Amino acid sequence: MDFLDPDLQAYAEAHTSPESPLLRRLNRETHLNVMKPRMLSGHLQGRTLAMFSQMLRPRRILEIGTYTGYSALCLAEGLTQDGVLHTIDVNDELEDMVRRYIAEAGLEQKIQLHIGQAAEVIPTLEEQWDLVFIDADKKSNALYYDLVIDHVRPGGFILTDNVLWSGKVVEKFRPKLDKDTELMLAFNQKVQDDPRVENLLLPIRDGILVARKK
């Protein structure tokens, strides 16, 4: 759910640097051939992720939830020369597509794709993270946050997607309070109350919660 007026959304995108031809092709292929294409970060959010990465110049990025690889390619734009992005997804059916686009981008040495349950893969990655992007099964947001927070360097960032939950975090936008919405409300409050971070909720698309580790 996008909360911005469609004309304002179009204006924002028109005044945002365009997708690369490769990202545009990945965007189109995802919408044509993959279920739930709304899960794709897309143009405006993709440029937001790329901008964060370019500002931070991270050496190590962790992405939880690869989907078709669009956000990984965007996040990789700011990596240092020796930087690596680890991305995790449970869906092996999309693996060939993701690896194909990683190869076409020339990022086979920069992006490491892990297929498996994120809660099992994360503890095996002995890294200190500069930037983490959480965009997987939303009921596990709190678990993923807890798994990574101690491994994020001071001054590093955790970004969590879809925290506005199609507007249902606000009472007037939901018919009833369901379990998934309860979990999202609890996660957002968890980050708000965490003294280890300072945070900012950006109303971009379905909401990105930005947490900077102190």
Side-chain angles (χ1 to χ4, degrees):
M1 180 176 180
D2 295 323
F3 297 96
L4 200 61
D5 177 272
D7 291 336
L8 287 175
Q9 178 82 12
Y11 185 86
E13 292 186 0
H15 291 80
T16 296
S17 296
E19 297 171 299
S20 68
L22 180 68
L23 286 173
R24 192 178 307 116
R25 184 150 46 85
L26 173 53
N27 194 334
R28 178 172 172 77
E29 183 175 345
T30 300
H31 278 81
L32 287 175
N33 299 327
V34 183
M35 292 180 63
K36 299 181 180 179
R38 186 179 179 279
M39 292 170 58
L40 187 90
S41 288
H43 176 205
L44 190 61
Q45 183 169 310
R47 291 302 86 208
T48 300
L49 297 174
M51 190 72 76
F52 264 103
S53 184
Q54 289 159 352
M55 288 189 292
L56 291 171
R57 297 294 294 159
R59 183 171 177 271
R60 290 293 183 267
I61 301 175
L62 173 62
E63 179 184 51
I64 306 170
T66 312
Y67 191 46
T68 58
Y70 189 101
S71 53
L73 295 180
C74 294
L75 287 165
E77 291 182 30
L79 281 169
T80 59
Q81 186 172 359
D82 62 343
V84 175
L85 182 152
H86 292 265
T87 183
I88 307 168
D89 205 280
V90 72
N91 188 355
D92 59 1
E93 293 181 359
L94 294 175
E95 181 177 359
D96 289 346
M97 180 180 177
V98 173
R99 291 195 185 280
R100 172 162 50 87
Y101 276 95
I102 290 173
E104 288 189 42
L107 293 172
E108 291 166 293
Q109 303 305 311
K110 292 277 193 178
I111 298 178
Q112 295 188 19
L113 173 62
H114 305 267
I115 300 298
Q117 296 288 342
E120 298 173 2
V121 175
I122 293 169
T124 71
L125 303 176
E126 298 180 359
E127 299 280 5
Q128 184 179 57
W129 307 112
D130 302 300
L131 177 59
V132 176
F133 182 45
I134 301 174
D135 187 20
D137 56 307
K138 308 309 171 185
K139 68 179 183 297
S140 299
N141 279 351
L143 171 62
Y144 300 146
Y145 182 89
D146 288 339
L147 285 171
V148 302
I149 185 67
D150 289 337
H151 301 278
V152 175
R153 67 165 174 82
F157 285 78
I158 301 173
L159 312 181
T160 307
D161 199 14
N162 302 112
V163 293
L164 293 179
W165 203 231
S166 299
K168 290 187 286 186
V169 292
V170 177
E171 187 174 359
K172 70 177 181 178
F173 291 128
R174 63 175 181 256
K176 64 177 181 178
L177 183 58
D178 58 89
K179 182 63 176 177
D180 289 340
T181 303
E182 283 185 342
L183 288 170
M184 188 62 73
L185 289 167
F187 172 73
N188 291 343
Q189 194 62 46
K190 174 187 179 73
V191 177
Q192 177 71 19
D193 295 338
D194 189 346
R196 297 170 295 180
V197 302
E198 52 187 0
N199 52 287
L200 167 69
L201 202 162
L202 295 175
I204 297 173
R205 290 188 74 224
D206 200 23
I208 301 174
L209 184 54
V210 180
R212 177 186 176 274
K213 188 173 179 181
K214 296 178 181 177

